[in-house]
Amino acid sequence: MLIIYDADKGDKSADKVAAALHLIQVMDPVRYRRVVRDLKQIWITTIPGAAGQFVRSTSTCELDERFVTGEHISIEEVAGAIVHEATHARLDQCGIGYEERLRTRVEEVCMRRELAFAAKLPEGAGIRRWVEARQNGPVDYSNAAFNTREIAGIRDAMIHLGMPIWFADTIVFIGRLRRRGSAKRQEGKSASEPPN
């Protein structure tokens, strides 16, 4: 499995991801074979508003570098995130998309796979807490909620990458204006369409 990371920032993140993959291989060999089959690569990068995401066009699991290198994030939790994103890949290969109407059910399946993996680990409590917080919390998987989280995450990501705060705030402000305008145009288009 190819692990892509920014060499200028050191290989600490790649080491943690390699250790997470090794943990999956040792503790759950069947799941490891699925991960390797379903994902072409793992890319450690900066992701706005998420710890990880599956990119369908490249069969890539992207992991946020802040998540991976976080001192409070264990190798087990990184492994859980890989299992979660690999489950997205597997569902995608089965023809199950990520449209808004399916998203809650897809996320439930991915979280169940994380919990099944966590049950095999002596130190799986961190994964269980993380999944249970998402299951029990008010998580909204609508397109609007995704957009809101992404905009907030863009600001944090830009600051993390060294942009001045004023610049990040300006970009986020412009992004919010553009999305509001787009939403209003969409509403206007829907209202002007004749009923069937």
Side-chain angles (χ1 to χ4, degrees), residues 97-106 141-143:
Y98 200 64
E99 297 84 30
E100 185 176 25
R101 64 184 173 77
L102 299 174
R103 206 169 285 150
T104 298
R105 290 174 41 204
V106 167
Y141 294 112
S142 68
N143 289 339

Side-chain angles (χ1 to χ4, degrees), residues 66-85:
R66 295 164 291 175
F67 166 73
V68 172
T69 59
E71 290 181 23
H72 61 284
I73 301 297
S74 67
I75 290 169
E76 289 82 3
E77 289 167 308
V78 173
I82 293 168
V83 166
H84 181 104
E85 299 309 328

Side-chain angles (χ1 to χ4, degrees), residues 46-51 53 64 66 146 149-155 157:
T46 304
I47 303 172
Q53 64 186 14
D64 187 88
R66 295 164 291 175
F146 263 68
R149 280 192 296 274
E150 184 180 35
I151 288 172
I154 287 171
R155 180 186 186 278

Side-chain angles (χ1 to χ4, degrees), residues 77-190:
E77 289 167 308
V78 173
I82 293 168
V83 166
H84 181 104
E85 299 309 328
T87 305
H88 281 291
R90 186 147 182 80
L91 291 172
D92 181 70
Q93 290 170 7
C94 292
I96 300 170
Y98 200 64
E99 297 84 30
E100 185 176 25
R101 64 184 173 77
L102 299 174
R103 206 169 285 150
T104 298
R105 290 174 41 204
V106 167
E107 288 298 332
E108 288 170 356
V109 169
C110 294
M111 287 186 276
R112 282 197 303 270
R113 294 295 87 216
E114 278 183 273
L115 290 172
F117 173 67
K120 296 183 177 208
L121 302 177
E123 301 292 325
I127 297 173
R128 284 190 296 276
R129 281 191 301 272
W130 191 35
V131 171
E132 287 166 1
R134 286 179 286 161
Q135 287 177 326
N136 299 329
V139 179
D140 183 354
Y141 294 112
S142 68
N143 289 339
F146 263 68
N147 288 338
T148 299
R149 280 192 296 274
E150 184 180 35
I151 288 172
I154 287 171
R155 180 186 186 278
D156 294 341
M158 290 175 69
I159 292 168
H160 169 74
L161 293 171
M163 300 287 175
I165 292 173
W166 69 266
F167 184 75
D169 288 341
T170 301
I171 295 299
V172 167
F173 176 75
I174 291 168
R176 285 187 177 132
L177 286 177
R178 292 186 74 208
R179 293 223 172 140
R180 257 189 236 136
S182 176
K184 285 183 181 178
R185 282 191 298 279
Q186 196 67 9
E187 287 174 16
K189 190 185 291 184
S190 297

Side-chain angles (χ1 to χ4, degrees), residues 3-15 42-45:
I3 301 173
I4 303 171
Y5 64 98
D6 185 349
D8 293 339
K9 296 181 181 178
D11 58 359
K12 179 182 174 190
S13 58
D15 290 346
I42 297 174
W43 185 18
I44 304 162
T45 187

